[in-house]
Structure formats: C-alpha cells, structure tokens
Amino acid sequence: MTETASAPADIDDHPISRKMFADDVASKNLGITLDELGPGYARASMRITELMVNGHGITHGGYVFILADTAFALACNSHADAAVAARADIRFLRPTREGDVLVAESVERGRFGRNGIYDVTVRCGDDVVAEFRGDSRTFGGRAVGER
C-alpha cells in the first residue's frame, strides 16, 4: 500500500491521517510516500536526492528528521482525535547518501489522556540510521485547520 502525499487510498481508513497526508505539501515536494498505516502505526519512505545532501556529502539531518516526523504524525493521527507534536528528538546513528532510500517506521508506545508517546526507527536497508521519539497531544479536532 504505497501512496504519494497527493493520492490517498481509502479515506475512511484512518481519515485524519489520510487527509493530513494528502494535504501535506512539504511531504509531497520531498517525495515522501506513505507505505503502511494502522492504529498507532505508520511506515513512510523517501529517496535522498542531490538537494538533500550537505557539504560533507551526506544526507542533511533535517531531512531525516522530516521523514521521521512525518511517520510520527501519521501514527499519532491514526485514531479518532487529531493530534500535534508536543515534543520530539532524534539521534543520528549512521550517515546516508544521495540515492539511498530511507524508511521510517513509527510505533505507538502508549496513550494516556490527551498524550501519546511514539518511537520512530529510520532505516536504510537493514541499517538503522536514526532513532526518533515524539510526544503527541490531541486537541479534539478532526484535522488541523478545520473548524
């Protein structure tokens, strides 16, 4: 189940995540794809382009963070209430380069009240290249920007 930011699949399956991703101009422009989505879970991927490489010839960490943050956002919005990030951090473990395909897998660790904790592992092939942890907070809406 791979889709681009502009082509959501069944909108009734996790509608908040799917609408958010369909409207995500940043993810669309970076070529991020949604590969799998389930309750409290998301997997997204992105190919590293020449525009994403820093002066050391490796992927700029900001792009790795964006991919991880996108998977986190999809997972924490897979429930009935819309959610936003309250906090996030990342540990970069290995460099990647132009042409590499990164895959971010987000897993819900727990939800309590309006809060959630999610871990995201970013891989390039079998190698773990980054670990991300995000805290979410629901705000009771159906999607950011809707009234």
Side-chain angles (χ1 to χ4, degrees), residues 81-142:
D81 291 321
V84 293
R87 182 192 69 84
D89 61 54
I90 194 165
R91 302 293 184 271
F92 301 106
L93 306 173
R94 293 179 186 268
T96 60
R97 291 173 172 69
E98 180 182 349
D100 287 344
V101 175
L102 305 186
V103 177
E105 184 175 40
S106 181
V107 178
E108 182 178 278
R109 296 300 178 202
R111 291 175 62 214
F112 44 97
R114 295 176 51 204
N115 303 296
I117 299 174
Y118 296 79
D119 286 332
V120 183
T121 300
V122 181
R123 290 184 174 83
C124 181
D126 292 332
D127 294 330
V128 174
V129 299
E131 292 286 351
F132 171 109
R133 174 160 274 195
D135 297 351
S136 67
R137 181 132 176 113
T138 63
F139 58 91
R142 296 298 297 165

Side-chain angles (χ1 to χ4, degrees), residues 15 25 32-33 71 97 104:
V25 175
I32 295 175
T33 60
R97 291 173 172 69

Side-chain angles (χ1 to χ4, degrees), residues 11-86:
I11 200 74
D12 295 328
D13 180 27
H14 312 292
I16 296 171
S17 289
R18 293 204 184 275
K19 175 164 180 20
M20 180 192 68
F21 191 67
D23 294 344
D24 187 341
V25 175
S27 292
K28 183 186 312 181
N29 283 313
L30 292 173
I32 295 175
T33 60
L34 171 57
D35 302 324
E36 189 173 346
L37 182 62
Y41 174 84
R43 189 176 70 234
S45 58
M46 175 180 74
R47 179 175 300 279
I48 302 304
T49 69
E50 67 178 317
L51 298 175
M52 299 174 181
V53 175
N54 66 21
H56 294 294
I58 60 177
T59 307
H60 189 292
Y63 291 105
V64 179
F65 188 96
I66 289 169
L67 175 62
D69 187 53
T70 298
F72 160 58
L74 288 161
C76 70
N77 279 281
S78 64
H79 300 291
D81 291 321
V84 293

